[in-house]
Amino acid sequence: MTTSSQPTALRTALCATVAAVLSLGPAATATADDDRSGGWKGEGGLTLTSEQNNAVDSYLANARRAERTISVRVRAAAALTGAEVVGFDKRLKSPDSLKRKVAGTLVEQPGRNVASVLAGIGDAVRYTLQWDDTAYTSGVTRASGALAGWGNESTKWSNTWGRASGYKGLNTGWRAPRSGQLFEVQFHTPASKHAQEATHPLYEEQRLPSTGPERKRELQREQDALFAAVPVPAGARSLTAPAPRPAPVPASASASASA
């Protein structure tokens, strides 16, 4: 693809997915275990007060509104690069899952408040793009470049393909240009996605305050064994975040420079 035709191809891929995404309703979400006081109670003794619970519900409402525009661009990036969008119906974290995450963080870091925890959550809106091993590295490069080119700011780039043990994959974070909503895009191969799904219940148990130290170590060993069997695609270890887009020059500055 030539440089001159690339913007046209990006626009075409973006427009081709708009109708499909806009025809979809909001992602299905689970009902949280809200108690009669307006608070929330979860597994492992995790709780939120009424005020904290309301703050999470408000955050989720904003995330749902932002999701539809974000989804258009993520699906367009997938179409442009031949990626499979895995688990699109789960693109919004459920209320119960998000509340469990917020409550767990407040237990682990008692000096924080719910507003600061919510401000740092990057996966309330999340996607997974998947390629086979041979197409993986070029697919990630082109897809992340497209997202950046459409104005999404790269906020996180966690490339763990080079790890000796533990999770293998590429987890990236982005900030949408208009809503400011943070969202996550995971880039996987079929093998790394399978390992991620197989280890997720182990990871969730590991994070519970009620899980003892020895059990946590056992759970980590089980996760390490599953990820150790995942092949590393050629070039995956060296994948880096796309360069940030240059900021536009204000009109007044341009006029002064030409004077």
Side-chain angles (χ1 to χ4, degrees):
M1 183 180 297
T2 64
T3 302
S4 60
S5 64
Q6 187 172 10
T8 300
L10 294 176
R11 286 194 299 272
T12 301
L14 181 60
C15 293
T17 61
V18 171
V21 173
L22 292 181
S23 68
L24 298 172
T29 54
T31 301
D33 186 14
D34 298 330
D35 64 27
R36 293 182 181 179
S37 70
W40 173 89
K41 294 180 181 179
E43 185 182 0
L46 295 173
T47 63
L48 294 173
T49 66
S50 175
E51 183 179 1
Q52 292 168 337
N53 191 40
N54 289 340
V56 177
D57 286 339
S58 177
Y59 176 92
L60 278 168
N62 290 332
R64 290 190 191 103
R65 284 191 290 271
E67 170 269 320
R68 298 189 74 177
T69 301
I70 297 169
S71 289
V72 169
R73 285 160 176 77
V74 172
R75 284 169 65 96
L80 179 69
T81 60
E84 177 185 359
V85 183
V86 180
F88 185 70
D89 60 329
K90 298 179 180 178
R91 61 195 180 275
L92 281 172
K93 189 182 280 292
S94 73
D96 197 52
S97 179
L98 183 60
K99 291 175 184 184
R100 185 168 60 248
K101 184 169 186 175
V102 171
T105 302
L106 291 173
V107 170
E108 295 166 0
Q109 304 173 33
R112 297 183 65 183
N113 58 35
V114 68
S116 70
V117 174
L118 287 170
I121 288 179
D123 65 346
V125 182
R126 70 275 180 91
Y127 308 87
T128 296
L129 302 190
Q130 177 178 289
W131 299 263
D132 63 29
D133 288 26
T134 58
Y136 180 81
T137 300
S138 61
V140 170
T141 300
R142 294 176 65 207
S144 61
L147 289 173
W150 291 327
N152 298 286
E153 176 191 355
S154 175
T155 60
K156 173 187 173 183
W157 190 269
S158 179
N159 185 346
T160 58
W161 282 109
R163 275 186 179 175
S165 62
Y167 182 89
K168 286 182 181 175
L170 177 53
N171 288 8
T172 67
W174 304 82
R175 188 185 305 276
R178 293 186 180 179
S179 65
Q181 176 66 46
L182 296 176
F183 65 98
E184 178 185 78
V185 183
Q186 295 187 9
F187 297 116
H188 276 292
T189 65
S192 67
K193 181 58 179 174
H194 173 75
Q196 189 261 345
E197 291 177 341
T199 58
H200 186 70
L202 307 177
Y203 170 75
E204 288 293 330
E205 182 183 349
Q206 189 179 37
R207 291 188 76 246
L208 290 173
S210 56
T211 303
E214 181 54 40
R215 177 58 178 159
K216 287 185 177 183
R217 288 190 288 270
E218 179 184 350
L219 290 166
Q220 187 60 57
R221 287 192 294 269
E222 292 180 34
Q223 293 174 69
D224 290 346
L226 287 165
F227 280 115
V230 175
V232 179
R237 292 185 179 91
S238 60
L239 286 167
T240 56
R245 299 175 66 198
V249 179
S252 58
S254 299
S256 298
S258 60

